[in-house]
């Protein structure tokens, strides 16, 4: 009989130890089966519409997006590029196209790369190989060569700074033709 009580005590101690050694760490559970180098999600054939007070303000189209929100510095990657239509208060449509893009969630910075073209509703066209957009400050900038076309001018340069509406657009290190009024 003595052996039976010892065996039951050992089993009970083992079960109690196992019960108290388990932790409820949701972060660890989420990582199971997901490598830190792999995206936590993949979206395909995206047609996302942003609205404000019932009015469409933007329409994002992309064939594939990888979600790396499981990283210490989370981001979303558009590996096949994107097309973004922007609508102002008067429903004028502008278009942004790039071959590749990364959206950094913590900094509100968008990095557009490869054949970046922005066409505004009033005919302004900006072309470059890389362009950053600071969503918080609504500011566009690059240090790459650019071609900026307006209704009167075609300006080439090495760098660009502007607000999102191109009201304060500046081409840096200008090398193109500019019309100057007397």
């Amino acid at each position: 009989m003595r052996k039976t009580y010892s065996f039951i005590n050992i089993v009970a101690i083992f079960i109690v130890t196992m019960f108290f050694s388990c932790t409820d760490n949701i972060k660890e559970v989420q990582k199971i089966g997901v490598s830190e180098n792999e995206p936590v999600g993949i979206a395909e054939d995206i047609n996302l519409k942003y609205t404000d007070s019932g009015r469409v303000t933007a329409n994002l189209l992309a064939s594939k997006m990888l979600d790396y929100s499981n990283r210490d510095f989370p981001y979303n990657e558009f590996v096949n590029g994107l097309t973004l239509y922007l609508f102002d208060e008067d429903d004028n449509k502008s278009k942004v196209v790039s071959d590749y893009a990364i959206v950094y969630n913590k900094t509100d910075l968008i990095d557009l790369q490869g054949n970046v073209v922005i066409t505004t509703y009033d005919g302004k066209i900006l072309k470059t190989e890389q362009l950053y957009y600071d969503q918080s400050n609504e500011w566009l900038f690059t240090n790459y060569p650019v071609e900026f076309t307006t209704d009167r001018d075609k300006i080439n340069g090495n760098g660009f700074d502007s607000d999102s509406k191109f009201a304060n657009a500046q081409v840096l290190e200008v090398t193109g033709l500019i019309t100057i009024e007397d």
Side-chain angles (χ1 to χ4, degrees):
M1 271 241 180
R2 182 111 171 112
K3 287 185 181 184
T4 306
Y5 289 122
S6 295
F7 181 70
I8 292 174
N9 288 339
I10 292 172
V11 171
I13 291 171
F14 182 72
I15 290 173
V16 169
T17 304
M18 293 270 300
F19 179 73
F20 286 110
S21 68
C22 293
T23 61
D24 185 23
N25 189 339
I26 191 71
K27 293 257 187 208
E28 293 299 318
V29 173
Q30 288 174 338
K31 288 183 181 179
I32 293 175
V34 177
S35 169
E36 290 197 24
N37 294 327
E38 296 295 321
V40 70
I42 299 172
E44 294 181 338
D45 298 324
I46 300 166
N47 184 354
L48 182 63
K49 294 182 179 166
Y50 296 93
T51 59
D52 183 11
S53 303
R55 185 180 64 80
V56 175
T57 57
N59 184 13
L60 174 68
L61 304 170
S63 63
K64 188 173 193 177
M65 181 193 77
L66 304 177
D67 179 3
Y68 290 96
S69 59
N70 57 333
R71 299 277 179 100
D72 290 335
F73 192 71
Y75 63 92
N76 293 317
E77 183 177 29
F78 295 86
V79 292
N80 299 327
L82 59 80
T83 301
L84 176 65
Y85 296 101
L86 301 167
F87 302 92
D88 67 9
E89 298 80 24
D90 298 322
D91 279 339
N92 295 314
K93 180 168 73 171
S94 297
K95 181 179 177 182
V96 179
V97 177
S98 73
D99 292 342
Y100 177 84
I102 299 178
V103 178
Y104 297 101
N105 303 336
K106 283 188 177 179
T107 60
D108 282 339
L109 190 67
I110 299 173
D111 180 3
L112 302 167
Q113 299 177 23
N115 298 311
V116 179
V117 179
I118 297 178
T119 307
T120 64
Y121 71 91
D122 58 355
K124 294 175 186 155
I125 301 170
L126 175 69
K127 295 180 182 178
T128 186
E129 281 302 307
Q130 184 171 25
L131 184 70
Y132 294 99
Y133 178 62
D134 180 343
Q135 295 179 86
S136 300
N137 298 312
E138 296 184 4
W139 197 259
L140 298 157
F141 59 96
T142 187
N143 289 326
Y144 278 77
V146 298
E147 179 183 293
F148 185 56
T149 307
T150 66
D151 57 343
R152 299 178 352 174
D153 303 313
K154 182 176 181 180
I155 307 165
N156 295 315
N158 291 314
F160 184 80
D161 268 323
S162 178
D163 63 306
S164 62
K165 298 185 188 313
F166 289 121
N168 298 313
Q170 287 186 330
V171 176
L172 309 174
E173 299 178 23
V174 176
T175 60
L177 300 172
I178 303 171
T179 305
I180 300 175
E181 294 181 22
D182 290 332

